[in-house]
């Protein structure tokens, strides 16, 4: 059984007991969260497609941690001008474990 769910504007294919890194969300560690924007669900070979969402379908999970992603280096340069600029960025994520998918 899997579902495609919209979490903070991004779509994830999730299954039970799967850990995902979603964009940073509000909430404390060990808090439960529910996602009701389910776009597609599969259960024992039966695929249900929403138009655009499935009514009554929910995905529940638990927040494990708030973490930062890998560092991305942004380097800008203009040749023969002496212009160089180096910046770094670390995106913030929320680590979520999927506990249950209900249709």
């Amino acid at each position: 059984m899997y579902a495609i769910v919209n979490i903070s504007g991004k779509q994830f294919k999730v299954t039970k007991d799967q850990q995902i890194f979603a964009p940073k969300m509000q909430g404390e560690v060990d808090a439960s969260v529910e996602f009701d924007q389910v776009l597609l669900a599969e259960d024992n070979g039966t695929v249900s497609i929403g138009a655009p969402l499935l009514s009554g379908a929910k995905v529940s999970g638990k927040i494990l941690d708030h973490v930062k992603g890998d560092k991305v280096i942004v380097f800008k340069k203009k040749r023969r001008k002496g212009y160089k600029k180096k910046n770094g960025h670390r995106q913030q994520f929320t680590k979520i474990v999927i506990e249950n998918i209900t249709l």
Side-chain angles (χ1 to χ4, degrees):
M1 172 183 243
Y2 70 87
I4 296 179
V5 62
N6 186 2
I7 301 173
S8 299
K10 295 187 182 263
Q11 295 177 5
F12 294 91
K13 179 182 176 183
V14 296
T15 59
K16 191 173 190 282
D17 298 328
Q18 179 184 4
Q19 295 181 359
I20 60 171
F21 291 96
K24 176 131 187 191
M25 300 171 49
Q26 299 293 324
E28 298 294 323
V29 176
D30 291 334
S32 62
V33 290
E34 281 194 353
F35 308 107
D36 57 352
Q37 293 187 352
V38 179
L39 306 171
L40 182 141
E42 185 272 336
D43 185 22
N44 296 330
T46 305
V47 178
S48 302
I49 300 173
L53 301 174
L54 286 174
S55 61
K58 289 186 182 180
V59 175
S60 60
K62 183 170 73 169
I63 296 176
L64 295 179
D65 199 7
H66 298 288
V67 296
K68 285 186 176 182
D70 295 336
K71 181 171 264 193
V72 177
I73 303 296
V74 179
F75 186 74
K76 297 179 181 181
K77 179 181 176 170
K78 294 188 179 177
R79 64 183 193 163
R80 299 187 300 267
K81 305 296 182 202
Y83 172 78
K84 290 189 281 187
K85 190 171 195 167
K86 182 179 176 182
N87 283 326
H89 176 75
R90 292 185 71 186
Q91 189 71 32
Q92 295 186 349
F93 294 103
T94 300
K95 188 174 181 181
I96 301 171
V97 62
I98 303 299
E99 293 179 333
N100 194 11
I101 299 173
T102 56
L103 300 178

